[in-house]
Amino acid sequence: MLEKYTDEDGEWWVSKQRGRRAITESDMQVILDLHNKLRGQVYPPASNMEYMVWDTELERTAEAWAETCLWEHGPASLLPQIGQNLGAHWGRYRPPTSHVQAWYDEVKDYTYPYPQECNPYCPFRCTGPVCTHYTQLVWATSSRIGCAINLCHNMNIWGQVFPKAVYLVCNYSPKGNWWGHAPYKHGTPCSACPPSFGGGCRDNLCYKDGGAERVYPTEETEESNYIEPEASRTQGPRPRPQSPTTSPNEDLEMNEVVNTLQMSQLVTCETKLRDKCKGTTCNRYECPSGCLYNTGGKVIGSVYYEMQSSICRAGLHYGVIDNEGGWLDVTRQGRKEYFIKSNKHGVQSLGKYQSANAFTVSKVTVKAITCETTTSELCPFQRPASHCPRIYCPSNCMQENPHFARVIGTLIYSDKSSICRAAVHAGVIQNQSGGYVDVMPVDKRRQYTASYQNGIFSESLQNPPGGMAFRVFAVI
């Protein structure tokens, strides 16, 4: 690798020729390609992840900082405007993409949408899990990148001197890593792309034809992925701290998710509840973006909505989703004598003064649980049926003691089972990464069948007292 960055006399670019670049064309391309590949495969999937392009101005700023050979982020005057990832190594050959992969592999210490357990302590050197390299790499609106490589003699990295350090600096724009914001919006790939992309999609990324040669203006990427400010944060957006990394992590072994059955149904802005729910249980729906201005879906009522109402626009009217779309829960309410019109959250509903079947909408809550949590503890079966929260399972639940985190049944599980281990057993989530699942409590089951699936032995059980059960569904 070093030979590519030396002159004919074997010297480093101390006196570079005019026009000589800070990185070779081949390294530039593999770094850019790997960024786009990794951005397109995030889990849970992103609905607004933008295709990344190379920016020669960011490359120039990265070169200027790489030449300082300082193992810290900088320069201070530029950091408020850009994001930055650093990597360094010495000794055996490593391609620059090894650092890019290491940045992405920090996903193992990150829980979407917030890095709750990712909080390194960095007085003299960082200890503890780091994930800010990952979040910057997959920040949806950071659509431009420029990197540089420099050879630094006797580079001091947290007190350790690297005799010949290969120093990689990558700068990103627009800047990412803002507190209170997720790196991207979760949803169907390319379903929430900015209008400037014209509906283009490439490898799960918002893509504009000719995008590989074009630099997008900053104002087109101001859209953020706001989730909800964490209570302990100060007001106003501020960047998450960035921490350098010196070596890549080992590749994570991934289990294939084989069960993609979903409880939530993808609907359009015009879909009426009557179209989707004819005598069956109504549960969870995924709405696209842009329904606020789609007047093709009428809304009848306030709080209680008539069955001819648009599901998504009723959710907008009640305020459980915004124009960026998202998930909502629906509960059937039987017949109501009349429906009142109102104008809420930019949606005008209609009135109706004759009886009809009705429904209500509610926000889909998300709850992180442990590997041992059961449905009977979290969301016991009851009538009328209530909605369970969307659940986030931690990683590596397969390794939990099966006596404390039991799995009873196959596909349909006893409510005394561990939700997360049942989800791994059913092939709904990956053991190594965990993830989101939906749970549907169901009525009595007289027996549960044992099986071996995805590395977990489940138990059989006959005539259990109560017999309550549940199913797990993928969140894709």
Side-chain angles (χ1 to χ4, degrees):
M1 178 177 177
L2 300 182
E3 292 176 358
K4 296 186 292 185
Y5 296 95
T6 56
D7 58 25
E8 294 178 356
D9 298 324
E11 294 296 323
W12 189 253
W13 296 355
V14 176
S15 300
K16 293 191 292 293
Q17 296 178 359
R18 187 185 228 16
R20 188 106 184 235
R21 299 189 67 170
I23 190 168
T24 66
E25 191 77 24
S26 60
D27 283 342
M28 178 196 78
Q29 195 61 54
V30 294
I31 287 174
L32 180 62
D33 290 346
L34 183 57
H35 271 76
N36 280 319
K37 175 185 175 183
L38 296 173
R39 286 163 68 86
Q41 69 180 35
V42 293
Y43 185 85
S47 63
N48 68 327
M49 187 70 73
E50 297 181 18
Y51 185 86
M52 190 170 273
V53 297
W54 195 265
D55 187 301
T56 54
E57 180 62 20
L58 288 174
E59 177 189 333
R60 186 191 65 77
T61 60
E63 175 188 8
W65 187 249
E67 289 178 347
T68 68
C69 293
L70 295 174
W71 186 241
E72 59 188 56
H73 290 282
S77 59
L78 191 61
L79 290 179
Q81 287 80 46
I82 65 164
Q84 188 176 76
N85 278 346
L86 308 177
H89 71 271
W90 72 286
R92 64 181 178 83
Y93 168 77
R94 290 179 192 161
T97 49
S98 67
H99 293 292
V100 178
Q101 186 65 53
W103 298 336
Y104 183 84
D105 287 346
E106 290 174 0
V107 66
K108 74 181 191 304
D109 293 315
Y110 178 76
T111 300
Y112 183 91
Y114 292 127
Q116 287 95 338
E117 65 286 296
C118 179
N119 186 23
Y121 179 60
C122 303
F124 304 108
R125 62 177 301 162
C126 287
T127 57
V130 178
C131 65
T132 49
H133 304 93
Y134 166 76
T135 51
Q136 177 59 80
L137 192 156
V138 301
W139 201 269
T141 56
S142 292
S143 59
R144 306 197 301 273
I145 183 176
C147 304
I149 296 174
N150 190 32
L151 180 65
C152 295
H153 294 279
N154 298 321
M155 185 176 179
N156 189 322
I157 299 181
W158 284 320
Q160 182 179 359
V161 177
F162 285 18
K164 289 185 178 180
V166 179
Y167 190 19
L168 172 66
V169 178
C170 284
N171 287 346
Y172 302 83
S173 182
K175 182 180 180 66
N177 281 344
W178 297 99
W179 285 116
H181 294 256
Y184 57 83
K185 299 174 192 171
H186 173 208
T188 304
C190 299
S191 64
C193 294
S196 60
F197 286 88
C201 187
R202 176 176 175 178
D203 299 328
N204 297 331
L205 303 174
C206 303
Y207 181 76
K208 185 185 297 184
D209 289 339
E213 294 81 31
R214 184 174 304 183
V215 174
Y216 305 133
T218 302
E219 56 268 25
E220 290 187 349
T221 54
E222 289 179 350
E223 177 182 350
S224 66
N225 314 311
Y226 186 71
I227 296 293
E228 184 178 311
E230 295 174 285
S232 60
R233 305 296 179 196
T234 58
Q235 291 184 346
R238 63 186 179 92
R240 296 180 180 132
Q242 297 171 311
S243 301
T245 182
T246 57
S247 60
N249 299 317
E250 296 180 359
D251 290 343
L252 297 178
E253 181 185 353
M254 304 298 286
N255 287 349
E256 182 182 2
V257 172
V258 295
N259 187 343
T260 57
L261 182 65
Q262 299 178 67
M263 186 175 86
S264 60
Q265 303 176 56
L266 181 62
V267 294
T268 68
C269 297
E270 297 87 3
T271 304
K272 305 171 185 176
L273 186 61
R274 177 161 289 175
D275 298 334
K276 274 287 180 181
C277 185
K278 298 179 179 179
T280 59
T281 302
C282 305
N283 289 289
R284 191 158 288 169
Y285 297 92
E286 181 181 353
C287 293
S289 60
C291 290
L292 183 61
Y293 307 111
N294 187 325
T295 56
K298 63 182 179 181
V299 180
I300 304 170
S302 298
V303 182
Y304 295 101
Y305 300 97
E306 202 260 355
M307 295 287 285
Q308 293 283 6
S309 298
S310 156
I311 298 171
C312 297
R313 283 177 54 79
L316 284 168
H317 182 267
Y318 197 65
V320 297
I321 61 170
D322 57 26
N323 197 41
E324 294 178 351
W327 289 270
L328 56 81
D329 283 333
V330 166
T331 304
R332 298 181 72 171
Q333 298 292 339
R335 296 189 75 84
K336 298 296 177 183
E337 294 302 315
Y338 55 86
F339 299 86
I340 301 172
K341 69 177 182 179
S342 65
N343 191 316
K344 292 183 178 180
H345 303 105
V347 177
Q348 176 65 58
S349 69
L350 306 174
K352 182 175 180 179
Y353 294 94
Q354 64 184 75
S355 66
N357 287 326
F359 69 93
T360 57
V361 292
S362 58
K363 188 179 181 66
V364 176
T365 59
V366 179
K367 184 175 180 62
I369 63 174
T370 69
C371 295
E372 298 179 2
T373 304
T374 67
T375 308
S376 62
E377 297 169 340
L378 180 72
C379 187
F381 180 84
Q382 57 185 343
R383 292 188 183 278
S386 61
H387 296 287
C388 291
R390 174 153 286 171
I391 294 164
Y392 186 83
C393 288
S395 60
N396 297 318
C397 284
M398 184 188 295
Q399 283 71 42
E400 287 293 313
N401 189 326
H403 294 291
F404 299 107
R406 303 172 67 188
V407 178
I408 306 169
T410 302
L411 297 182
I412 296 179
Y413 301 92
S414 163
D415 65 355
K416 302 299 189 292
S417 300
S418 155
I419 296 172
C420 297
R421 296 191 79 236
V424 174
H425 181 267
V428 166
I429 59 172
Q430 298 168 334
N431 176 61
Q432 288 84 351
S433 59
Y436 292 90
V437 298
D438 280 329
V439 170
M440 180 188 292
V442 295
D443 212 338
K444 291 184 177 181
R445 289 293 185 274
R446 293 187 176 180
Q447 67 176 35
Y448 298 92
T449 304
S451 67
Y452 177 76
Q453 293 182 174
N454 299 309
I456 293 179
F457 286 98
S458 69
E459 306 173 40
S460 62
L461 186 63
Q462 290 193 1
N463 298 318
M468 301 307 176
F470 70 96
R471 299 182 66 185
V472 284
F473 296 86
V475 176
I476 297 177

